[in-house]
């Protein structure tokens, strides 16, 4: 699914109005009905609904929502923030329709704000995607006061004051909803960690905007909400699904090799060999009998390039690897020789493999094109330097992927997969229960397994991240986020 910028969304609205065709007031009605559907599935008629509306189309939505909820028997109070003389046509029309049924309150000063605040659910329809400057005056005062309320708060389309696709000023006043119900497409701002408080849990409400227009819109940002794994042929055999090599573990971190190996096996790979330090041999053989195990000459670390690398279809390096000097030399050697092994082979680099790259930046030039790097934010910072805000981080991420022709998975809520063509695919699955040691090792195993089966690296990364999060969601359903551990993600992988 595409993520569009505010100007494109406006053009999409207008195109839908002209081409469907649908009068804009009816499109607003459709959007408001979609919101009301979401609302009535979650909240019953007990208690008040306090709607705070602006004077543009987001405000128009708010007034239509008020009328629809009133029709359904909800006790609705409408407060219009009187911040300007300008009103949109559809706002005026919805005000006209509403005033036949309900009295509205006009908020002009602080006393009006205090009078409007009662017990009830707060719906923010003050400003939407049209916001283009920091809030001030009566809107700012209203938002400051609403944010102090303990009531449940819901934003229509996007929180008032939050920019759709650029950073907000550090001291900006922005509405802080518990929920956002956004129309048709996710907005970029909602996927960035720094905006967490200005988004809450967000939901998408389909309002039937023009599909062909969306298809033709150019964008670098995508949202992965489904993937299509390959079907396994009935006549397939283990040779069909590739042979993966995982190079992982050091003394005290053999568990990382186990987690990555099990995840790789549960992602459909034909054969798996794990290369671990000598101290890991028995642990691996006992814990993961399905994998073959090779050991390094070094007792506690990985130090030496295996001789028969050409056998493998994909190699994953880094989980629990450590940063011993001999391991640094090993990584340099494998990067140097990788293109000779076979340029089509996939390579995944995670954890200490990335930390070694950060501490030896000249090694970055040896990265084989199409490699998959899976840093968490700290690892990415070490690799690429710091940033002032999440939009700048996104820019760095894209620049890094383009410069080194690699795929970078920046992990977290809505992990961002940046491709060498500069596009970024945000993931939809996963939950905070996955914020636990070893979850990243599981992801490395999954992506390595997909690469070994012949998935192109871009697809292996996007699909692997999606399935990893989905398995985390299944695990959380069973044991709850607090109780789940990385091994549960593996147990809940379903393809
Ligand atoms: N155009 C359409 O057909 C549809 C629009 N919809 C709604 O319309 C919203 C966008 O509506 P608008 O483009 O009218 O914009 P808004 O309602 O977000 O804002 C209204 C106007 O306020 C002004 N403004 C911007 N920043 C301000 C600030 N800080 N203080 C005071 N005024 C400020 C701008 O002139 C802006 O156009 C969407 O978020 C969505 O809720 C939906 O009804 C779906 C259909
Ligand atoms: N709040 C969250 N929501 C969704 N996914 C998360 C969240 N926290 C962590 N994850 C996922 O869990 C994994 C953690 O990886 P990482 O930090 O490398 O863990 P480790 O190094 O312990 O293996 C990543 O794939 C990340 O996307
Ligand atoms: K809003």
């Amino acid at each position: 699914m595409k993520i569009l910028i505010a100007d494109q969304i406006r053009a999409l609205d207008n195109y839908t109005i002209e081409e469907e065709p649908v009068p804009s007031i009816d499109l607003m009605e459709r959007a408001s009905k979609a919101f009301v559907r979401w609302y009535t599935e979650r909240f019953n008629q007990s208690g008040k609904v306090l709607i705070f509306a602006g004077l543009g189309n987001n405000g128009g939505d708010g007034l239509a929502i008020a009328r629809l909820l009133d029709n359904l028997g909800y006790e609705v109070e409408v407060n219009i923030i009187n911040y300007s003389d300008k009103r949109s046509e559809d706002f005026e029309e919805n005000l006209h329709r509403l005033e036949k049924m309900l009295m509205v309150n006009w908020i002009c000063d602080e006393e009006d704000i205090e009078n409007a605040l009662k017990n009830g659910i707060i719906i923010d329809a003050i400003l939407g995607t049209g916001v283009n400057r920091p809030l001030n005056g009566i809107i700012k005062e209203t938002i400051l006061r609403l944010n102090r309320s303990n009531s449940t708060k819901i934003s229509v389309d996007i929180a008032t004051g939050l920019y759709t696709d650029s950073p907000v000023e550090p001291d900006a006043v922005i509405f802080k909803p518990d929920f956002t119900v956004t129309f048709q497409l996710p907005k970029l701002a909602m996927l960035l960690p720094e905006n967490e408080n200005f988004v809450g849990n967000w939901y998408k409400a389909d309002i039937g905007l023009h599909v062909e227009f969306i298809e033709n819109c150019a964008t670098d940002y995508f949202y992965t909400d489904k993937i299509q794994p390959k079907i396994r042929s009935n006549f397939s055999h283990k040779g069909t699904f590739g042979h993966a090599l995982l190079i992982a573990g050091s003394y005290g971190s053999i568990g990382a090799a186990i987690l990555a190996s099990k995840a790789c096996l549960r992602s459909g790979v034909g054969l798996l060999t794990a290369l671990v330090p000598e101290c890991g041999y028995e642990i691996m053989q006992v814990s993961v009998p399905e994998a073959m195990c090779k050991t390094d000459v070094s007792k506690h670390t990985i130090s030496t390039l295996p001789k028969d690398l050409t056998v493998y279809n994909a190699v994953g390096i880094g989980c629990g690897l450590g940063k011993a000097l001999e391991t640094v030399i090993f990584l340099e050697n494998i990067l140097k020789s990788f293109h000779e092994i076979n340029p089509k082979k996939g390579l995944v680099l995670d954890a200490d493999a990335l930390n070694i790259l950060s501490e030896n930046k000249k090694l970055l030039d040896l990265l084989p094109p199409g490699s998959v790097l899976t840093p968490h934010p700290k690892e990415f910072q070490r690799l690429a330097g710091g940033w002032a805000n999440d939009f700048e981080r996104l820019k760095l991420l894209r620049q890094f992927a383009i410069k080194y022709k690699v795929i970078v998975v920046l992990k977290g809520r809505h992990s961002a997969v940046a491709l060498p063509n500069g596009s970024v695919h945000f993931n939809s699955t996963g939950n905070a229960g996955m914020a636990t040691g070893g979850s990243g090792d599981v992801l490395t195993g999954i992506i390595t397994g997909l690469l070994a089966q012949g998935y192109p690296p871009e697809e292996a990364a996007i699909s692997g991240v999606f399935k990893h999060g989905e398995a985390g969601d299944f695990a959380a359903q069973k044991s709850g986020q607090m109780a789940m551990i990385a091994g549960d993600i593996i147990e809940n992988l379903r393809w």
Side-chain angles (χ1 to χ4, degrees):
M1 175 181 296
K2 286 184 178 173
I3 299 168
L4 305 183
I5 60 169
D7 287 345
Q8 289 174 315
I9 295 169
R10 205 164 300 122
L12 169 62
D13 287 342
N14 291 335
Y15 189 86
T16 307
I17 290 164
E18 277 167 33
E19 291 298 312
E20 189 176 316
V22 51
S24 66
I25 188 75
D26 291 351
L27 186 59
M28 184 173 279
E29 192 75 5
R30 217 192 267 173
S32 305
K33 279 186 179 156
F35 178 93
V36 166
R37 223 173 0 258
W38 177 90
Y39 185 88
T40 52
E41 279 166 14
R42 287 161 184 82
F43 302 98
N44 61 25
Q45 281 97 335
S46 66
K48 284 191 166 74
V49 186
L50 308 174
I51 296 189
F52 290 82
L55 307 168
N57 287 337
N58 195 249
D61 290 341
L63 301 186
I65 289 165
R67 171 171 40 80
L68 294 167
L69 287 176
D70 183 76
N71 281 337
L72 292 169
Y74 286 81
E75 192 187 338
V76 182
E77 289 197 12
V78 179
N79 304 287
I80 301 175
I81 322 299
N82 200 10
Y83 57 88
S84 146
D85 296 332
K86 264 180 38 195
R87 283 109 211 257
S88 80
E89 261 177 47
D90 293 337
F91 166 89
E92 294 281 19
E93 173 56 27
N94 265 310
L95 180 61
H96 177 68
R97 292 180 186 182
L98 183 68
E99 279 182 328
K100 291 182 191 154
M101 311 164 47
L102 271 182
M103 278 262 300
V104 304
N105 306 314
W106 289 87
I107 295 203
C108 303
D109 56 31
E110 292 194 23
E111 199 184 330
D112 295 334
I113 303 173
E114 284 308 318
N115 291 338
L117 280 164
K118 301 183 180 154
N119 284 333
I121 293 178
I122 294 171
I123 295 183
D124 151 44
I126 302 175
L127 296 175
T129 52
V131 70
N132 53 22
R133 55 189 184 275
L135 304 184
N136 58 23
I138 192 69
I139 300 187
K140 182 176 172 182
E141 289 311 315
T142 306
I143 298 296
L144 280 171
R145 190 62 192 80
L146 291 179
N147 280 347
R148 287 206 296 274
S149 160
N150 290 326
S151 301
T152 299
K153 304 185 200 72
I154 308 169
S155 281
V156 177
D157 203 20
I158 188 165
T160 291
L162 184 60
Y163 300 139
T164 312
D165 27 59
S166 56
V168 286
E169 299 73 13
D171 54 352
V173 170
I174 298 165
F175 187 67
K176 294 181 179 168
D178 301 294
F179 304 97
T180 296
V181 181
T182 200
F183 295 134
Q184 193 82 26
L185 301 172
K187 317 292 182 274
L188 187 55
M190 296 181 183
L191 306 174
L192 305 178
E194 69 189 9
N195 292 332
E196 179 176 10
N197 290 338
F198 311 130
V199 180
N201 290 318
W202 63 269
Y203 295 82
K204 215 161 43 63
D206 202 321
I207 61 166
L209 296 178
H210 207 279
V211 175
E212 264 171 47
F213 184 92
I214 299 175
E215 271 167 19
N216 292 328
C217 266
T219 180
D220 285 321
Y221 299 112
F222 299 84
Y223 185 65
T224 312
D225 58 353
K226 58 174 181 295
I227 58 131
Q228 195 61 58
K230 286 184 191 159
I231 293 167
R232 283 162 96 90
S233 141
N234 289 337
F235 290 92
S236 54
H237 50 84
K238 63 177 182 273
T240 316
F241 300 114
H243 189 168
L245 175 68
L246 279 170
I247 304 174
S250 56
Y251 183 76
S253 298
I254 301 299
I258 295 170
L259 289 167
S261 297
K262 286 186 172 175
C264 186
L265 286 160
R266 285 228 190 256
S267 299
V269 75
L271 290 168
L272 169 65
T273 296
L275 171 63
V276 294
E278 201 203 312
C279 68
Y281 183 72
E282 283 172 20
I283 311 171
M284 278 301 294
Q285 290 289 62
V286 173
S287 310
V288 198
E290 297 88 348
M292 292 169 278
C293 186
K294 293 198 171 200
T295 54
D296 196 276
V297 292
S298 159
K299 194 163 174 64
H300 291 155
T301 57
I302 297 289
S303 66
T304 311
L305 207 56
K307 289 198 186 68
D308 52 355
L309 273 172
T310 50
V311 175
Y312 306 105
N313 304 89
V315 182
I317 311 176
C319 305
L321 202 62
K323 296 186 292 176
L325 182 60
E326 63 271 24
T327 308
V328 175
I329 295 165
F330 157 81
L331 188 68
E332 179 166 358
N333 286 337
I334 199 164
L335 290 178
K336 276 184 179 157
S337 58
F338 207 80
H339 68 278
E340 289 160 21
I341 300 163
N342 178 346
K344 287 211 177 69
K345 281 192 196 313
L347 178 64
V348 184
L349 296 163
D350 182 35
D352 281 330
L354 300 175
N355 292 329
I356 292 173
L357 290 179
S358 306
E359 289 168 22
N360 303 271
K361 293 242 164 54
K362 65 180 187 339
L363 296 186
L364 287 172
D365 294 322
L366 299 176
L367 282 174
S371 299
V372 180
L373 281 63
T374 59
H376 57 54
K378 263 265 161 295
E379 286 162 349
F380 183 63
Q381 190 180 7
R382 288 181 208 125
L383 276 173
W387 46 81
N389 57 59
D390 287 347
F391 284 89
E392 213 174 288
R393 183 173 82 170
L394 203 53
K395 192 171 152 197
L396 276 180
L397 183 72
R398 297 175 60 204
Q399 284 172 345
F400 192 97
I402 293 168
K403 179 172 177 191
Y404 294 106
K405 301 186 176 63
V406 293
I407 292 103
V408 192
V409 178
L410 180 61
K411 295 183 291 194
R413 175 83 192 125
H414 301 304
S415 292
V417 183
L419 307 186
N421 68 5
S423 66
V424 180
H425 296 249
F426 290 90
N427 187 42
S428 60
T429 57
N431 61 81
M434 299 171 76
T436 178
S439 298
D441 305 326
V442 174
L443 179 67
T444 302
I446 296 173
I447 297 176
T448 308
L450 293 178
L451 281 176
Q453 288 165 75
Y455 281 74
E458 293 84 355
E459 204 183 325
I462 293 168
S463 299
V465 167
F466 181 89
K467 280 288 171 182
H468 177 249
E470 185 190 65
D473 290 340
F474 290 140
Q477 276 164 24
K478 286 188 192 159
S479 56
Q481 291 187 5
M482 300 230 337
M484 63 186 270
I485 54 173
D488 298 337
I489 304 173
I490 302 169
E491 301 302 322
N492 283 284
L493 276 165
R494 281 180 222 159
W495 291 88

